[in-house]
Amino acid sequence: MIYYLPRDYKNKNINDAGAKARFDIEKTLNKQGILPTSKGNHITKNRLLHFIRTICIVIKAGLLIKRNDKIILQYPVKYYSTICRIVHFKGGHVITTIHDLECFRKKHNTTNKEIKLMNMSDAIIAHNPIMCKWLIDNGYVGFNKKNIIESLGIFDFLSESENPNRIENWPLNQIVYAGQLTRKKNDFLYKLGSYMHNYNLNVYGKGFDKTSASNPEKFNIKGFMLPEKLISSSIGDFGLVWDGDSIDCCQGDWGEYLTINTPHKISLYIRCGLPVIIWSKAAMAAFIKENGIGLCIDSLHEINDIYNKLSKEEYTHMCDNVNRISNLMSKGDFIKQALNKTISNIK
């Protein structure tokens, strides 16, 4: 049998991009006939109740697993090493799909500790080929020593919402920037206004202080929107993926993470029907380029030239490609394909 470990979600986290990605994977697994080890998708407000439910989920999984069964874990997950030990003790196999590597994102782990944890899994589904290579280069071989690792490609994004026709209104000379807008992660926004000559930025999210930004009139603050509403009502020509404090490159901890990570906001932009503008050294730049779904830039200075040089025909081709990928994501195709390959390799 193949199972997945459901998660008990904290109420304050249910609208996070990470929670959305996990929810969508669980929904896709359910549709594939893969069973949860216990009833999942609880949303708990009480901290003690959340702890108790999490412990119960782990215990039930341990009781359920039998020899040659497989269990899918979404990492990071509490008690990860304990779950892996129990599954292996009972003769089962662990498949780990990665959401975040904590040695990058929160610096909670060292590289060696993260690899040690990954080696407790029999197979891994990582974000992209660059993350796969990083894991192998740093010592990932898997619990069974078979080096089973697959690239997800991009996170799926399930939603019934339909995006606007971007081609009809090209060019709006407006770009979308969405996400958690803490200054630590997005300090470049406060400098960008000085270099925005022929476009404005539509900012979706909480935490950006427009009054502290250069040329604040260049920013349209749209506030926080749930993904379904953002997909159907976002306004702009492109979605921007950029982190850090510089307009010339993505640097610092967040910039370093972008060189290996697949931000969930890329999936959101694609479901919005928006071609993506991304840093050329980001891990996902190759995916954007290969699929013709956006533009890769070295510096934010280059955005002004996009509107001077890009024809409507070229933009239309990008939007057609975006909608093709969006359709695959809406059906959970990327996790389905990666999981099918992974299970086949384990067998």
Side-chain angles (χ1 to χ4, degrees), residues 189-197 213-216 218-219 247 301 304:
L189 287 173
Y190 294 87
K191 307 169 185 177
L192 183 58
S194 298
Y195 307 94
M196 294 161 60
H197 303 311
S214 59
N215 291 341
K218 287 287 188 180
F219 298 90
I247 64 166
H301 291 285
N304 291 301

Side-chain angles (χ1 to χ4, degrees), residues 185-244:
K185 188 173 186 287
N186 305 279
D187 196 44
F188 76 91
L189 287 173
Y190 294 87
K191 307 169 185 177
L192 183 58
S194 298
Y195 307 94
M196 294 161 60
H197 303 311
N198 59 2
Y199 68 96
N200 290 345
L201 201 71
N202 295 331
V203 182
Y204 294 86
K206 297 179 181 179
F208 177 60
D209 179 12
K210 175 179 173 177
T211 61
S212 300
S214 59
N215 291 341
E217 68 278 3
K218 287 287 188 180
F219 298 90
N220 303 313
I221 308 303
K222 302 294 186 178
F224 172 78
M225 287 187 188
L226 291 172
E228 286 72 20
K229 185 176 180 181
L230 188 64
I231 289 170
S232 63
S233 62
S234 58
I235 301 169
D237 303 312
F238 297 94
L240 176 63
V241 179
W242 201 268
D243 283 326

Side-chain angles (χ1 to χ4, degrees), residues 252-298:
D253 291 344
W254 290 105
E256 180 188 13
Y257 196 29
L258 202 56
T259 64
I260 191 172
N261 178 44
T262 297
H264 198 246
K265 73 169 64 180
I266 296 177
S267 299
L268 175 58
Y269 290 152
I270 291 171
R271 293 293 282 119
C272 289
L274 292 164
V276 177
I277 297 175
I278 192 170
W279 184 38
S280 60
K281 293 182 176 60
M284 283 299 287
F287 184 91
I288 301 300
K289 187 175 181 180
E290 288 166 7
N291 287 282
I293 57 174
L295 299 166
C296 305
I297 59 174
D298 296 322

Side-chain angles (χ1 to χ4, degrees), residues 3-5 71-75 77 80 83-84 94-98:
Y3 300 95
Y4 73 86
L5 187 81
I71 186 168
I72 300 163
L73 306 180
Q74 297 196 63
Y75 180 89
V77 59
Y80 177 80
I83 298 167
C84 290
V94 177
I95 298 171
T96 298
T97 179
I98 296 174

Side-chain angles (χ1 to χ4, degrees), residues 113-180:
K113 184 177 179 182
E114 197 98 63
I115 295 298
K116 185 177 179 181
L117 287 170
M118 292 300 95
N119 275 328
M120 299 186 77
S121 182
D122 296 279
I124 284 178
I125 298 173
H127 289 196
N128 52 63
I130 290 178
M131 182 179 282
C132 291
K133 184 177 185 302
W134 183 88
L135 288 164
I136 292 169
D137 288 349
N138 282 278
Y140 169 74
V141 292
F143 183 81
N144 52 17
K145 311 299 182 186
K146 293 183 179 180
N147 291 94
I148 301 174
I149 187 166
E150 289 291 337
S151 169
L152 177 63
I154 192 169
F155 284 102
D156 295 301
F157 201 109
L158 309 186
S159 173
E160 298 297 324
S161 296
E162 294 186 8
N163 58 61
N165 187 324
R166 303 291 173 184
I167 301 166
E168 285 181 352
N169 298 314
W170 165 265
L172 288 172
N173 292 81
Q174 297 179 48
I175 288 174
V176 172
Y177 189 78
Q180 296 179 356

